[in-house]
Amino acid sequence: MTTIAICNLKGGTGKTTTAIFLAYALTRTGDTVTVVDADPQGSATEWAARAEDKGTPFPFTVEPGNARSLARSAAKAEWTLIDCPPGTAQIIDAAVAIADHVIIPTRPSGIEIDRMWEALDLSAQKNPKILMTSIICGTKSLNSLQNALQAEEVDTYGSAIRQREAIKNSFGYPLEDDLYGYEAVAKELKAITGK
Ligand SMILES: Nc1ncnc2c1ncn2[C@@H]1O[C@H](COP(=O)(O)OP(=O)(O)O)[C@@H](O)[C@H]1O
Ligand SMILES: [Mg+2]
């Protein structure tokens, strides 16, 4: 059983998207997954409910979690992916405390690069790794993010997720064949965690 906290103190960095796409990618390689929706806004739960309403439920469980229930949720499947809320430190701390590894989705924008350091600091004991999300190749902002990561020798996933309409429009629907690069992230995740 491996527990992954997906966190960033900033909202809108791709945490929920990463949790759902990665859960699909891991499920497709035959693994069992639970997504713990630790964000009181409940976006992951809402996404799962909408897919189910369309008659196409997710091939994994999405359940709500709070600081106290996290450890119990983490014992149910081969992978537990905790979709963390922004801001609220207590839940993020609890998620990081039980995690084997921390993924920090980060978009290439100045404010996100600023907040990225805080997430790296608070998860420093748990082998955190940046996942670049919503990137547009050849842009100055991507270049600045890559320079910052290289200058500080920050661990970063080799696969990055491009900005795509298809990803944006996937909320509320089950995912189709193409997971837009998250298959490669799942592969790296397995290599990192030795699974
Ligand atoms: N790679 C991507 N390309 C385009 N839109 C994206 C991508 N990743 C996330 N988004 C969109 O960005 C918004 C924020 O993503 P979300 O996963 O909800 O972030 P968070 O959970 O960190 O708040 C959502 O509208 C989502 O659909
Ligand atoms: Mg979210």
Side-chain angles (χ1 to χ4, degrees):
M1 284 179 296
T2 307
T3 301
I4 310 297
I6 302 171
C7 75
N8 190 315
L9 301 183
K10 191 171 172 315
T13 70
K15 294 178 288 297
T16 300
T17 303
T18 296
I20 300 300
F21 274 76
L22 256 189
Y24 262 92
L26 291 166
T27 305
R28 284 188 190 163
T29 60
D31 296 357
T32 55
V33 180
T34 299
V35 171
V36 177
D37 184 357
D39 186 343
Q41 286 205 6
S43 310
T45 307
E46 177 67 26
W47 191 341
R50 289 198 197 182
E52 191 163 356
D53 286 349
K54 294 180 176 80
T56 41
F58 284 173
F60 50 86
T61 311
V62 179
E63 59 179 51
N66 56 42
R68 248 183 286 155
S69 70
L70 278 181
R72 249 177 292 134
S73 306
K76 292 183 184 162
E78 285 162 302
W79 295 90
T80 302
L81 308 182
I82 307 174
D83 179 20
C84 291
T88 38
Q90 199 195 3
I91 304 181
I92 299 176
D93 284 347
V96 168
I98 62 162
D100 300 295
H101 168 64
V102 174
I103 300 176
I104 305 175
T106 303
R107 294 162 77 119
S109 79
I111 182 162
E112 298 215 4
I113 298 173
D114 281 352
R115 303 297 303 270
M116 170 182 87
W117 307 113
E118 293 172 62
L120 281 166
D121 280 348
L122 73 83
S123 59
Q125 306 299 318
K126 295 297 174 85
N127 179 29
K129 228 172 156 90
I130 300 293
L131 173 64
M132 292 187 277
T133 58
S134 286
I135 67 161
I136 302 174
C137 293
T139 52
K140 271 191 190 160
S141 53
L142 177 57
N143 208 19
S144 322
L145 174 59
Q146 287 171 323
N147 288 342
L149 293 169
Q150 267 167 28
E152 299 294 329
E153 297 182 356
V154 178
D155 267 348
T156 305
Y157 278 87
S159 357
I161 306 298
R162 290 178 186 229
Q163 184 172 310
R164 285 180 180 274
E165 278 295 295
I167 297 179
K168 193 166 206 48
N169 294 333
S170 62
F171 182 82
Y173 293 89
L175 301 187
E176 295 179 356
D177 284 349
D178 196 343
L179 298 177
Y180 305 108
Y182 278 100
E183 302 94 332
V185 177
K187 206 170 163 191
E188 277 189 68
L189 174 63
K190 287 188 171 202
I192 293 164
T193 54
K195 302 290 160 184

